Amino acid sequence: MSRWKGLGVAAVGALAFVAVKVLPWALGFAGGKYLYQTLAGSSAPKALTSADINAEVEKQDLQIFKAIAQEFPDDYSALIDKITVAARSGSEQEVRAASRVGVAELRRKYASLLPSAPDSEAAQALSAQLAMLNHLMERQTPATCNNYLRIGPDAVSAPDNDFLVDLDRIGATLFHAFGAAKKSGLPAAVPGDQDWSLVADAFTKSGGTPAEMDAIASANQDFAGLCPAVAKFYAAALSLPGEPGRHIKTAMLYAIAKN
């Protein structure tokens, strides 16, 4: 238990370095190039309007943008305006940067809401994180997966479509969790020792080992099994019902999203 009492702090600190902190990839991969080529690169950039950009974003069918539009319509409009200004410059790099920075600002703006997120939305957001790790463990080397935990999507040099779909789902579920938290009226959840003890039990029952616990707590990038260990940690948290489960899930998501 002593190892996991420490993990109550150490684990969420370690998890702060996972994917979502560079999540605002939206339009940062193919999307930014697509917008640039179809708008800024093929027409008079200075004549572009926010309606033009919004129409192209909708064509891309990115779930993260749909989630932002649904949960925070005013913020979505402001984000589209920022991307429009960037697109008028005719620079693909500025379009990408506007999207990345704009989504990152919104993530940081609403991260503090997460402790009040309902369990169902928190579970969906954490499940998206787990799905990504499972994808990487199936298709990438352990070193690449570990590096993903450290720097996010840039660790994958040639992302396939399934990777981008998983990444899009991570962003969408996170913003839906923000929105649900804002409306929930639930008290902010703070995990206690008993909550972490329940995670420890679930982790151990799923085959988790003391070495894996230590690797998570120390964010040990040299530990070959770090991704499987973190995946077990996510699965253990997802298995917890009721308020203890909500406490753990929201704490983990907050650690990921606040950076």
Side-chain angles (χ1 to χ4, degrees):
M1 177 59 190
S2 60
R3 176 182 285 109
W4 280 83
K5 285 183 71 175
L7 193 57
V9 176
V12 294
L15 290 170
F17 68 142
V18 295
V20 176
K21 73 177 183 179
V22 282
L23 171 80
W25 67 278
L27 305 184
F29 289 120
K33 185 175 182 180
Y34 175 74
L35 262 185
Y36 171 72
Q37 290 178 339
T38 58
L39 289 175
S42 61
S43 63
K46 292 183 180 180
L48 289 171
T49 67
S50 293
D52 295 328
I53 298 299
N54 184 61
E56 292 302 326
V57 169
E58 289 182 348
K59 285 181 184 179
Q60 293 182 52
D61 199 33
L62 291 167
Q63 298 307 302
I64 184 172
F65 279 115
K66 288 184 176 181
I68 295 171
Q70 178 182 333
E71 304 293 351
F72 307 102
D74 291 343
D75 289 310
Y76 175 77
S77 295
L79 176 60
I80 292 298
D81 288 344
K82 290 178 182 178
I83 296 173
T84 302
V85 171
R88 286 172 181 162
S89 72
S91 167
E92 177 185 345
Q93 184 176 1
E94 288 193 30
V95 171
R96 292 183 181 218
S99 174
R100 282 179 177 261
V101 171
V103 176
E105 288 175 347
L106 292 180
R107 192 191 70 244
R108 289 191 291 268
K109 177 179 178 179
Y110 292 115
S112 62
L113 295 174
L114 282 172
S116 293
D119 187 67
S120 57
E121 281 77 10
Q124 290 176 14
L126 195 59
S127 293
Q129 294 283 342
L130 178 57
M132 176 60 85
L133 287 189
N134 286 333
H135 174 104
L136 293 171
M137 288 188 292
E138 290 172 2
R139 307 188 192 189
Q140 300 291 336
T141 65
T144 297
C145 192
N146 284 6
N147 203 32
Y148 169 86
L149 289 175
R150 183 174 66 86
I151 68 170
D154 289 342
V156 180
S157 58
D160 59 22
N161 185 66
D162 289 343
F163 176 86
L164 298 180
V165 169
D166 283 348
L167 203 57
D168 190 29
R169 181 170 174 251
I170 284 175
T173 55
L174 186 66
F175 276 96
H176 282 310
F178 291 157
K182 187 175 182 179
K183 302 167 191 170
S184 74
L186 292 171
V190 179
D193 288 346
Q194 182 61 31
D195 298 323
W196 291 112
S197 180
L198 292 172
V199 178
D201 291 343
F203 183 87
T204 301
K205 288 177 181 177
S206 70
T209 67
E212 289 176 323
M213 292 181 189
D214 289 339
I216 295 171
S218 62
N220 184 358
Q221 292 291 309
D222 295 326
F223 186 75
L226 183 60
C227 270
V230 172
K232 289 177 188 175
F233 186 32
Y234 286 171
L238 286 165
S239 73
L240 296 183
E243 278 299 287
R246 186 174 80 88
H247 297 171
I248 295 295
K249 296 181 193 78
T250 57
M252 291 168 65
L253 288 172
Y254 176 63
I256 292 168
K258 68 180 180 179
N259 294 281

